[in-house]
Amino acid sequence: NDSAATKTAPKSTIYPDADPAPKRRVHGMLKLYYGLNEEGKALGQAESLDPCDINGPHFDPELYLNKLRKECSLGELVDQEACMVKQIRSLDSDMQTLVYENYNKFISATDTIRKMKNDFKKMEDEMDCLSTNMAAITEFSARISGTLQDQHAQITKLSGVHTLLRKLQFLFELPARLNKCLELQAYGQAVSAHRRARCVLQQYSHMPSFRGIQDDCRAIMDQLAQQLRQKFRDGGSSAKDLSECVELLLQLDEPAEELCDKFLSHAQARLEADLQGLEAELRDSTSSAVVKASSPVIIGSPAESSMSATNPFLAPSSKTDILEFIDRGCNEFVSNLCLVIASYQELFINRLQEGDLATKNIPQMASGKLHTFVNSLAARYFSLVERRIQEEKGVGDNSLLVRALDRFHRRLQAVSKLLPGSAVPSQGTEIVVQAARERIRQYLSALQTFYLDSLTDVRQALAAPRLTVGGAAGAGPLLGSGAGAKDAPPSLPDLLSSLSTSILNQIKSVLASVHLFTAKDITFSNKPYFKGEFCSQGVRESLVVSFIKFVCQSSRQFCESAGDRGGSTPPALLLLLSRLCLDYETSTISYILTLTDEQFLVQHHTPVTAVTVLCAEAREAAQKLLNHYVKVQGLIISQMLRKSVETRDWVNTIEPRNVRAVMKRVVEDTTSIDVQVGLLYEEGVRKAHSSDSSKRTFSVYSSSRQQVRYAPSYTPSAPMDTNLLSNIHRLFSERIDIFSPVEFNKVSVLTGIIKISLKTFLECVRLRTFGRYGLQQIQVDCHYLQMYLWRFVSDENLVHFLLDEIVGSSAHRCLDPSPMEQSVIEVICERG
């Protein structure tokens, strides 16, 4: 109750004379302000119906006290009383503070409301005064309007007459104004003035005075149009003046198609001058081109001094390099062409067409003429650029060409932006692509020429020892002859290493030069139409793969020179090329292609030649070369043996005292070949030799088997038995394939050569008839060959069998088959 009294105290003070209804309204607003409902509960709380709830609206004190007395002890009652007293005091304190704060606010609000009442009263007085004044003004305005109504109509009529007179004055002064503009060459003002008056003069042309003005204006404008046409035909005007002339002529109803033709004709004259300058420069550069004597360094060439004279990596020199030529074409022709396109589009295509011009479809007509004009001139320009690019035959340095193509490509992009849909940019791009492809072809041709020149130098180096006579024995194993230490020729491993290194370095140099086409700062390098095709099909396939195939094919061609002595190809060159192709198959091809793929990031989505295919081709070439080498060397030795057999009278020969010189030569040449092959190939696998293979006294011809074999032939009564035994022996002998492919090792190569040589010896013996001493000479020769040749072959039985066949065949063809004692043969061979 104290709280309620305290809470309502300020209200009675503020509103002492107020009735209960306003008090309840204010009380409700305060509850709303503090978030309470009508019963004093906080908004949002659920109302309690318990009569013992001291905070509920249905609280009953009697029930609450009875409940406490029943449920609580005396101590609890005392504690409850203390707690309740404490809460009452706290609520009283909070209520007093709240009342004092609200009291100050109520006082302030009362003052504000009182002031507002005074202000509104003054404002109402002023509004009443304003309303009275507005009514008086309206009345006065109505009176004035009524009084001046007749005069206002007259003033309006006079104003219209004045405006008409000003227009008539402009029309009458128009001829003089136009003449003045014509004198001052203010053509734009003249055309603008005439366009303003043209419709009026046309409308009133039936009146004599207006017809005269119209005729005078037409004559003046015809003269102005004539001057504009003359200025247009002179061609000395700037692009801005030409644009102004065309715009004014269009406003004077000149035919748009004729203006387009004249504009393009004038522009073509200037662009033709640019093209003629480029053509003159092209003629000068062509006529003054000279070949430089300098060339890039070629690493590892077998004979660099001789190669420099025929080196394909030479560049022609001219007065103007290609970069300057392209710069001039871009800065003059392409820039002027872009200006012409921009001006033409501004005048005839992009400008808004008004009036009758909108119905003539001028933009479509003008666009067609522009495309035809640009395409014709661009075709001539492209032909000059292609001619200049074709002059870049040297492949020493690509930097100028790549920069020139990059600049050419960049400037053509401006044409594509100015003239969408034009074929000029695509044609220029095709020139860039073709130039890159041509560069690839030039590099391939240069690599091929370099390879052939390198082979020529190798052949010269191989032939050089033949010109030297004498020297230390064994100093020149290359061709089986010695040379002095001062003039010692390069050995086969040195030549092979030099040739392989020079070719590999040249390929690396070419790849570095071609790599400039794919630099990051080159605009066309990242274009999809260029990079994928150039790297995959251009560099990898057309250059690297093609060169590797060329090496294999050109090497195989050395095997096509058939003949008894293998043609003019040195056998050592065949051996060297065979080893080169084998090295390519084992490592070089994989290295080169890996290097290419890494440098050019070749995308394998397009079909490319696999490494295994190239390796197989290189191995095939190596096998063919080595087979041919064996054949050539075998035929060389066979030729000596054949001549030694055919040129001797074996029936009337004297008793043998020495080994024939040709047999010694055969052993020497075989030893030389063994050394030669051993320089490039491994030893190979041999079959286990018999215990007496190295004994020089061993002879297959002194064995009991041979004695039995020869014995029947000495008595003419049993020739069929001899043939029968021989044929039976052949049936149980292993078949010997003379021209079978050889393996890549020294033993296999020497085995093939010796097989060919001894087989030739055997066939030549079968065509001759022998006397007693002829047979003995064959015995001595074969024993001498057996002493040395078994060391070179994989299976010594092969040599034993062939030599046995030779002696046996000689015995069959001997008129007096009396073999020499084995001890005598051994003495002769040891002495010889």
Side-chain angles (χ1 to χ4, degrees):
N1 293 334
D2 293 340
S3 299
T6 307
K7 189 174 182 179
T8 56
K11 296 180 183 178
S12 59
T13 307
I14 298 172
Y15 305 109
D17 301 328
D19 55 359
K23 289 182 180 181
R24 284 194 299 270
R25 184 169 63 252
V26 173
H27 187 68
M29 293 175 65
L30 286 174
K31 286 185 177 181
L32 182 63
Y33 176 77
Y34 289 105
L36 302 175
N37 53 19
E38 292 295 332
E39 289 78 10
K41 283 285 186 181
L43 293 177
Q45 292 183 357
E47 294 183 355
S48 176
L49 301 178
D50 186 8
C52 296
D53 184 6
I54 195 171
N55 294 321
H58 305 284
F59 176 68
D60 189 349
E62 292 296 335
L63 291 177
Y64 180 72
L65 289 175
N66 292 332
K67 181 179 180 182
L68 287 179
R69 283 194 299 266
K70 291 178 181 180
E71 295 178 356
C72 298
S73 62
L74 180 61
E76 291 177 349
L77 289 175
V78 172
D79 294 339
Q80 187 72 20
E81 180 187 10
C83 179
M84 188 174 295
V85 170
K86 185 177 179 181
Q87 290 179 359
I88 291 172
R89 290 176 181 175
S90 175
L91 289 174
D92 290 341
S93 176
D94 293 341
M95 187 61 68
Q96 289 178 4
T97 302
L98 182 63
V99 169
Y100 291 147
E101 290 177 356
N102 290 337
Y103 181 79
N104 295 331
K105 294 178 181 179
F106 293 153
I107 295 300
S108 176
T110 302
D111 295 339
T112 302
I113 293 172
R114 188 181 296 111
K115 185 177 179 181
M116 288 176 62
K117 285 184 177 181
N118 296 332
D119 293 341
F120 278 117
K121 184 176 182 181
K122 185 185 297 184
M123 188 178 296
E124 289 178 357
D125 296 339
E126 292 178 356
M127 290 297 294
D128 293 340
C129 181
L130 179 60
S131 177
T132 304
N133 293 336
M134 289 297 294
I137 290 171
T138 303
E139 183 180 358
F140 289 145
S141 176
R143 293 179 183 176
I144 293 172
S145 297
T147 305
L148 298 178
Q149 184 175 4
D150 297 337
Q151 295 179 358
H152 182 268
Q154 295 178 1
I155 292 172
T156 302
K157 183 177 180 180
L158 290 175
S159 176
V161 173
H162 179 263
T163 303
L164 179 60
L165 291 175
R166 289 183 61 186
K167 291 182 180 180
L168 292 175
Q169 182 181 4
F170 175 79
L171 291 177
F172 285 117
E173 293 177 353
L174 182 60
R177 186 188 298 271
L178 294 179
N179 283 324
K180 188 66 174 179
C181 292
L182 198 61
E183 293 176 1
L184 298 176
Q185 295 184 351
Y187 303 126
Q189 296 181 11
V191 172
S192 178
H194 181 261
R195 284 173 59 86
R196 288 166 56 191
R198 183 168 54 183
C199 296
V200 177
L201 292 175
Q202 184 69 26
Q203 183 177 359
Y204 296 101
S205 60
H206 60 280
M207 300 177 66
S209 58
F210 286 97
R211 188 182 303 113
I213 295 173
Q214 185 180 18
D215 294 340
D216 294 341
C217 292
R218 185 179 293 115
I220 296 172
M221 295 310 294
D222 289 342
Q223 184 179 358
L224 185 146
Q226 187 65 27
Q227 291 184 8
L228 289 175
R229 294 191 197 99
Q230 185 63 35
K231 182 179 179 182
F232 193 81
R233 282 193 298 267
D234 288 343
S237 305
S238 63
K240 183 178 180 181
D241 294 337
L242 288 177
S243 301
E244 184 180 357
C245 288
V246 172
E247 185 174 2
L248 294 178
L249 289 172
L250 283 176
Q251 293 179 6
L252 292 175
D253 294 334
E254 287 287 323
E257 187 172 357
E258 183 179 349
L259 289 178
C260 291
D261 292 337
K262 289 182 179 179
F263 183 88
L264 294 178
S265 176
H266 170 72
Q268 184 172 3
R270 298 186 61 188
L271 295 173
E272 286 282 354
D274 296 336
L275 292 176
Q276 290 174 3
L278 291 175
E279 191 168 2
E281 183 176 340
L282 191 60
R283 286 196 301 267
D284 294 341
S285 64
T286 303
S287 61
S288 63
V290 294
V291 178
K292 293 183 179 179
S294 61
S295 65
V297 177
I298 303 174
I299 304 173
S301 176
E304 295 177 3
S305 59
S306 62
M307 190 176 295
S308 61
T310 58
N311 184 14
F313 294 86
L314 297 176
S317 174
S318 59
K319 289 184 178 180
T320 304
D321 59 45
I322 188 171
L323 183 58
E324 294 178 359
F325 181 85
I326 295 296
D327 271 341
R328 179 175 178 181
C330 292
N331 295 334
E332 294 179 2
F333 174 78
V334 179
S335 296
N336 291 334
L337 181 64
C338 291
L339 289 176
V340 169
I341 293 174
S343 301
Y344 185 90
Q345 289 177 334
E346 187 67 25
L347 293 174
F348 300 107
I349 299 177
N350 297 334
R351 61 177 298 169
L352 295 176
Q353 306 293 334
E354 300 176 353
D356 296 337
L357 297 178
T359 62
K360 296 181 180 180
N361 292 328
I362 294 178
Q364 289 79 358
M365 178 272 299
S367 179
K369 288 183 175 294
L370 180 61
H371 279 275
T372 303
F373 169 79
V374 171
N375 290 338
S376 62
L377 287 176
R380 290 187 54 193
Y381 172 62
F382 289 156
S383 66
L384 296 176
V385 172
E386 287 178 336
R387 286 172 53 190
R388 183 62 185 87
I389 292 176
Q390 291 173 0
E391 293 181 8
E392 294 295 307
K393 299 297 184 182
V395 288
D397 185 12
N398 264 339
S399 57
L400 284 179
L401 176 63
V402 173
R403 288 168 58 194
L405 293 177
D406 179 55
R407 199 156 300 175
F408 174 75
H409 184 269
R410 286 175 187 268
R411 296 304 293 270
L412 288 182
Q413 302 310 308
V415 178
S416 64
K417 293 179 180 178
L418 286 173
L419 196 62
S422 174
V424 171
S426 60
Q427 293 173 358
T429 300
E430 184 63 25
I431 290 177
V432 174
V433 174
Q434 289 297 333
R437 291 175 181 169
E438 180 62 26
R439 207 61 168 171
I440 293 294
R441 287 192 290 268
Q442 292 174 4
Y443 273 116
L444 176 62
S445 176
L447 284 174
Q448 293 172 351
T449 305
F450 174 80
Y451 174 71
L452 296 178
D453 292 341
S454 300
L455 292 186
T456 302
D457 294 335
V458 171
R459 297 185 68 165
Q460 292 176 355
L462 293 173
R466 293 186 181 273
L467 303 178
T468 304
V469 180
L478 186 65
L479 295 169
S481 62
K486 183 177 180 181
D487 299 325
S491 63
L492 279 180
D494 294 338
L495 287 175
L496 175 63
S497 175
S498 177
L499 177 63
S500 179
T501 303
S502 62
I503 294 173
L504 186 58
N505 288 336
Q506 204 62 55
I507 292 175
K508 291 180 179 179
S509 176
V510 167
L511 290 178
S513 299
V514 175
H515 196 263
L516 295 176
F517 281 96
T518 61
K520 292 183 179 179
D521 57 341
I522 303 301
T523 55
F524 59 80
S525 65
N526 293 320
K527 301 296 182 181
Y529 54 76
F530 179 84
K531 186 167 186 180
E533 183 75 16
F534 177 78
C535 294
S536 178
Q537 298 299 324
V539 178
R540 193 185 194 277
E541 295 296 307
S542 300
L543 181 61
V544 178
V545 173
S546 297
F547 177 68
I548 294 173
K549 290 182 177 180
F550 172 80
V551 171
C552 298
Q553 292 170 1
S554 61
S555 301
R556 285 198 301 267
Q557 290 176 358
F558 287 103
C559 303
E560 298 173 0
S561 56
D564 291 342
R565 298 186 60 86
S568 60
T569 304
L573 180 61
L574 296 174
L575 185 65
L576 185 145
L577 290 178
S578 173
R579 185 65 206 190
L580 178 68
C581 292
L582 185 62
D583 291 341
Y584 267 58
E585 185 263 338
T586 55
S587 61
T588 308
I589 291 177
S590 177
Y591 172 74
I592 293 174
L593 291 181
T594 301
L595 180 66
T596 303
D597 294 345
E598 289 177 353
Q599 286 188 4
F600 292 88
L601 300 176
V602 175
Q603 302 296 327
H604 292 283
H605 60 274
T606 55
V608 293
T609 305
V611 177
T612 54
V613 175
L614 293 177
C615 291
E617 187 171 352
R619 188 173 184 86
E620 179 186 357
Q623 184 69 64
K624 192 172 183 180
L625 284 165
L626 193 60
N627 293 341
H628 192 63
Y629 171 80
V630 171
K631 180 181 178 181
V632 170
Q633 291 287 37
L635 291 178
I636 291 175
I637 298 177
S638 299
Q639 184 73 5
M640 293 190 298
L641 292 172
R642 186 173 71 244
K643 289 183 179 180
S644 70
V645 173
E646 293 175 352
T647 58
R648 189 179 182 92
D649 186 1
W650 293 98
V651 176
N652 299 319
T653 184
I654 62 175
E655 184 178 359
R657 290 290 180 265
N658 295 299
V659 178
R660 287 192 299 155
V662 66
M663 297 303 161
K664 298 179 181 178
R665 179 67 183 275
V666 168
V667 172
E668 291 175 358
D669 286 359
T670 304
T671 304
S672 175
I673 293 172
D674 180 72
V675 174
Q676 187 182 76
V677 176
L679 294 173
L680 298 181
Y681 284 100
E682 300 296 332
E683 179 70 22
V685 180
R686 302 176 187 269
K687 289 186 178 180
H689 299 309
S690 61
S691 59
D692 53 356
S693 295
S694 59
K695 294 181 180 180
R696 300 181 62 184
T697 59
F698 172 77
S699 174
V700 294
Y701 320 112
S702 60
S703 64
S704 58
R705 182 179 61 83
Q706 294 296 330
Q707 296 296 338
V708 173
R709 178 178 176 184
Y710 296 145
S713 65
Y714 301 151
T715 59
S717 62
M720 294 302 296
D721 294 338
T722 303
N723 293 334
L724 181 60
L725 291 175
S726 177
N727 292 332
I728 293 174
H729 178 69
R730 289 193 183 93
L731 288 175
F732 290 96
S733 299
E734 184 178 355
R735 181 180 179 273
I736 301 175
D737 191 358
I738 303 300
F739 294 99
S740 60
V742 297
E743 299 176 1
F744 295 101
N745 58 72
K746 184 178 69 172
V747 172
S748 180
V749 172
L750 267 294
T751 301
I753 295 173
I754 291 174
K755 284 194 300 184
I756 294 174
S757 304
L758 296 183
K759 184 66 174 177
T760 303
F761 193 12
L762 174 62
E763 297 301 324
C764 293
V765 166
R766 287 175 176 174
L767 299 178
R768 308 297 295 176
T769 302
F770 296 88
R772 176 181 180 181
Y773 296 127
L775 172 61
Q776 293 178 1
Q777 184 66 56
I778 293 295
Q779 281 184 282
V780 171
D781 292 343
C782 289
H783 183 74
Y784 183 82
L785 292 178
Q786 182 271 333
M787 289 172 58
Y788 296 99
L789 295 186
W790 67 270
R791 298 178 176 88
F792 302 115
V793 297
S794 59
D795 186 3
E796 61 178 306
N797 293 324
L798 174 69
V799 175
H800 297 167
F801 176 77
L802 289 175
L803 291 176
D804 185 33
E805 286 290 322
I806 293 171
V807 175
S809 182
S810 301
H812 284 300
R813 289 159 181 79
C814 181
L815 300 178
D816 183 13
S818 299
M820 182 180 286
E821 292 293 333
Q822 183 64 32
S823 58
V824 178
I825 294 175
E826 293 175 359
V827 171
I828 294 175
C829 291
E830 289 176 358
R831 185 181 59 194

